[in-house]
């Protein structure tokens, strides 16, 4: 179904920029030829270039003097952050990080350190600097909701990367410079521009129009003056140079937490669980802060929630039915949050999805239409019993009436094995009031408490309705 694919494409086309090979396909070369009339980077101008002769390799564009100056000043405080298997110390994933001020504290992304945060018995961390020196890493704090972490290393910064006390004031179009170790090829700096705050993410992110490749996760993005504006975190696979940064103000808060604790936590799974529980509370409270929006689909009213964080898409096969290509028509509305919380390489959670499917017969008799709608109802998945992350789905099926609409309803619940108190809820309903049309609706609430899962399912079920129009 196209709308589902569109929504899913938006959500999952965002890839975290840690260097694990499975997370993102290699991106095109980060430096694009300058277009005629394009503006040079501040402090420098493109070098004159001629077209390469046949068989001759085109020369690389000359980096701006601002980028050269920044990289030369910053490279001593840039690190690569590696996750290694303890057994054999084989590299599992790589990202970037940077030393804060003159301290031995390093800021990076949570997803760069997630393996040894959640499974310290199997994984450990290592840093490597631009001169090839390396050492071990001690994990001090994580912020899974904003994808940040603080680690301690056995070397100190020169003071180049200063995390400001206040949020950095940026102007749209302002040059930013992202640093890191793209694709594990070597330390690099890339130029781009700040283009505002992303409002469709549950938590603020800055849009950086420039190349951020896998392996640059956790690296700093700085202004021409060297002020840290954000931390590299993600990019869109379906866009051109559309990348994202974590605003530096969230890193300020995490560093303050580290300063207040003398001893680092021993159990980061418990901390991640607490943060996910806080996220789901805010997410469900926001979802149910007012009555769900009603949309009319044929003879039914269906609930949705359209907001900055959740968008809906729709499509219809009515024209095909009108051309007698099919003896039935289907309208579909799908709504999904456009971001989820990264927990591990195999788990993203903390999101809501809604789908409504309105089927009606244009040439089928009642028995054949019932077979069609029943087959559609059964063609749903609630997860595998073999999933190591979660328990198998425990489902309850009932015929219910919510006042205006009789329905067949299936409610399935799965518990997270590693994160106590978190569940995935799925509610599937099918109307039973008319032999020539059928409304099937599905709600998925991922990573919610049992109470909030039931609360969300109840609100969704009560909002489905039959209209007087047929």
């Amino acid at each position: 179904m196209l709308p589902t694919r569109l929504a899913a494409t938006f959500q999952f086309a965002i890839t975290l920029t840690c260097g694990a090979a499975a997370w993102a396909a290699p991106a095109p070369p980060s430096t694009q030829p300058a277009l005629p009339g394009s503006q040079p980077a501040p402090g420098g101008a493109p070098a004159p270039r001629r077209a390469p002769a046949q068989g001759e390799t085109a020369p690389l564009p000359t980096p701006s003097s601002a980028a050269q100056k920044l990289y030369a000043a910053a490279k001593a405080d840039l690190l690569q952050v590696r996750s290694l298997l303890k057994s054999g110390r084989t590299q599992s994933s790589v990202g970037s990080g940077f030393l804060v001020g003159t301290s031995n504290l390093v800021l990076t992304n949570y997803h760069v350190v997630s393996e040894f945060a959640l499974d310290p018995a199997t994984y450990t961390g290592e840093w490597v600097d631009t001169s090839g020196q390396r050492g071990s890493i001690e994990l001090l704090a994580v912020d899974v909701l904003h994808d940040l972490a603080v680690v301690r290393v056995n070397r100190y910064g020169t003071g180049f990367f200063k995390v400001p006390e206040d949020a950095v004031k940026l102007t749209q179009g302002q040059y930013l410079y992202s640093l890191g170790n793209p694709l594990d090829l070597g330390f690099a700096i890339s130029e781009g521009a700040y283009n505002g705050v992303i409002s469709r993410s549950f938590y603020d992110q800055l849009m950086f129009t420039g190349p951020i490749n896998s392996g640059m996760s956790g690296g700093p993005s700085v202004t021409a003056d060297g002020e840290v504006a954000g931390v590299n975190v993600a990019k869109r696979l379906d866009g051109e140079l559309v990348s994202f940064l974590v605003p530096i103000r969230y890193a300020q808060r995490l560093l303050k937490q580290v300063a207040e604790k003398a001893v680092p936590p021993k159990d980061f799974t418990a901390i991640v669980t607490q943060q996910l529980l806080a996220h789901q509370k805010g997410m469900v409270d926001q979802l149910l802060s007012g009555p769900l929006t009603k949309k009319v689909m044929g003879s039914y009213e269906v609930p949705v929630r359209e907001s900055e964080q959740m968008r809906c898409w729709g499509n219809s096969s009515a024209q095909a039915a009108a051309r007698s290509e099919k003896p039935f028509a289907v309208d579909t509305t799908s709504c999904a949050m456009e971001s989820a919380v990264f927990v591990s390489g195999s788990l993203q959670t903390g999101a809501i999805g809604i789908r409504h499917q309105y089927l009606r017969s244009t040439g089928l008799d009642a028995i054949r239409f019932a077979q069609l709608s029943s087959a559609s109802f059964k063609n749903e998945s609630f997860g595998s019993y073999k999933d190591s992350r979660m328990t198998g789905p425990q489902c309850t099926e009932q015929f219910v009436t919510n006042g205006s609409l009789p329905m067949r309803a299936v409610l399935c619940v799965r518990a997270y094995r590693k994160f106590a108190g978190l569940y995935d809820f799925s509610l599937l309903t099918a109307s039973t009031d008319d032999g020539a049309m059928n409304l099937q609706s599905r709600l998925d609430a991922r990573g919610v408490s049992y109470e909030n899962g039931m609360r969300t399912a109840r609100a969704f079920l009560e909002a489905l309705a039959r209209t007087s129009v047929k």
Side-chain angles (χ1 to χ4, degrees):
M1 295 181 288
L2 182 60
T4 301
R5 286 200 299 271
L6 283 172
T9 298
F10 190 101
Q11 180 175 345
F12 294 112
I14 294 176
T15 181
L16 301 166
T17 56
C18 185
W23 288 10
S30 61
T31 305
Q32 301 293 327
L35 295 172
S38 62
Q39 187 177 14
R49 285 181 285 162
R50 61 177 175 79
Q54 188 172 7
E56 184 181 9
T57 302
L60 291 172
T62 303
S64 71
S65 60
Q68 293 181 66
K69 182 179 178 181
L70 274 172
Y71 183 77
K75 68 177 184 179
D77 291 352
L78 272 179
L79 300 179
Q80 186 180 52
V81 178
R82 297 177 172 177
S83 180
L84 308 175
L85 274 173
K86 280 189 171 178
S87 173
R89 294 186 69 81
T90 307
Q91 186 169 288
S92 176
S93 69
V94 294
S96 297
F98 58 100
L99 285 153
V100 177
T102 56
S103 75
N104 59 351
L105 302 181
V106 175
L107 268 173
T108 185
N109 288 139
Y110 161 77
H111 75 260
V112 171
V113 304
S114 61
E115 287 181 320
F116 53 90
L118 299 178
D119 191 1
T122 306
Y123 297 96
T124 188
E126 180 186 69
W127 61 267
V128 180
D129 67 15
T130 52
S131 62
Q133 298 183 62
R134 63 186 63 204
S136 59
I137 281 174
E138 182 184 16
L139 183 59
L140 300 180
V142 300
D143 179 350
V144 68
L145 306 184
H146 299 102
D147 203 349
L148 289 171
V150 178
V151 303
R152 183 157 52 204
V153 299
N154 53 344
R155 58 156 294 183
Y156 292 84
T158 66
F160 180 80
F161 292 117
K162 295 182 177 63
V163 176
E165 289 293 328
D166 301 316
V168 177
K169 293 181 180 178
L170 299 169
T171 304
Q172 188 162 10
Q174 177 177 344
Y175 278 103
L176 289 178
Y177 303 83
S178 284
L179 299 101
N181 195 323
L183 307 178
D184 197 18
L185 295 174
F187 291 94
I189 183 169
S190 63
E191 301 181 56
Y194 164 75
N195 268 304
V197 178
I198 302 297
S199 59
R200 290 178 183 170
S201 174
F202 200 82
Y203 301 103
D204 285 353
Q205 289 188 334
L206 309 182
M207 184 164 73
F208 173 67
T209 305
I212 296 180
N213 289 294
S214 297
M216 295 179 72
S217 281
S221 187
V222 302
T223 67
D225 297 327
E227 194 171 28
V228 181
V231 179
N232 306 330
V233 69
K235 69 175 182 180
R236 282 280 295 268
L237 289 178
D238 60 342
E240 294 289 339
L241 303 180
V242 180
S243 305
F244 303 96
L245 313 172
V246 181
I248 196 62
R249 70 177 186 275
Y250 297 123
Q252 296 162 354
R253 293 198 317 211
L254 198 61
L255 287 167
K256 287 181 180 176
Q257 292 178 23
V258 170
E260 294 167 358
K261 295 181 180 178
V263 179
K266 293 183 178 179
D267 183 4
F268 281 95
T269 297
I271 292 174
V272 170
T273 302
Q274 291 171 6
Q275 294 176 357
L276 292 175
L277 284 168
H279 168 77
Q280 63 85 34
K281 182 180 185 307
M283 177 183 70
V284 174
D285 285 350
Q286 186 181 88
L287 176 76
L288 303 180
S289 59
L292 294 169
T293 303
K294 297 287 191 70
K295 285 186 177 291
V296 174
M297 296 186 74
S299 299
Y300 301 98
E301 280 186 347
V302 299
V304 299
R305 172 66 76 208
E306 289 185 286
S307 65
E308 289 287 356
Q309 291 78 39
M310 184 176 240
R311 300 186 74 193
C312 300
W313 302 88
N315 74 346
S316 175
S317 66
Q319 289 189 353
R323 294 192 298 267
S324 300
E325 295 174 5
K326 290 184 177 180
F328 62 91
V330 183
D331 294 346
T332 303
T333 295
S334 297
C335 307
M337 291 180 64
E338 298 190 343
S339 65
V341 178
F342 176 96
V343 179
S344 70
S346 61
L347 179 62
Q348 293 192 42
T349 189
I352 303 287
I354 292 172
R355 190 191 69 218
H356 301 288
Q357 181 176 271
Y358 171 55
L359 299 89
R360 65 271 192 197
S361 172
T362 57
L364 294 175
D365 58 40
I367 293 178
R368 292 177 63 197
F369 183 75
Q371 292 174 334
L372 172 73
S373 56
S374 180
S376 176
F377 190 79
K378 292 178 180 176
N379 189 30
E380 295 282 347
S381 174
F382 299 106
S384 169
Y385 285 88
K386 298 180 180 178
D387 193 331
S388 62
R389 304 165 305 162
M390 312 189 71
T391 63
Q394 299 296 312
C395 301
T396 302
E397 181 170 5
Q398 285 184 298
F399 286 90
V400 299
T401 299
N402 68 355
S404 66
L405 185 63
M407 292 172 282
R408 177 184 177 187
V410 177
L411 178 65
C412 295
V413 183
R414 308 176 68 197
Y416 287 65
R417 297 183 189 276
K418 200 175 184 70
F419 306 103
L422 288 172
Y423 302 84
D424 278 1
F425 273 70
S426 296
L427 173 65
L428 180 65
T429 66
S431 63
T432 59
D433 64 318
D434 197 305
M437 60 184 184
N438 181 251
L439 174 69
Q440 296 187 12
S441 299
R442 176 162 177 159
L443 167 74
D444 289 289
R446 294 189 286 137
V448 295
S449 68
Y450 193 87
E451 179 187 7
N452 275 333
M454 292 298 294
R455 181 180 162 210
T456 306
R458 193 179 302 114
F460 184 78
L461 196 64
E462 291 174 351
L464 293 164
R466 174 75 185 254
T467 67
S468 58
V469 180
K470 189 171 181 179

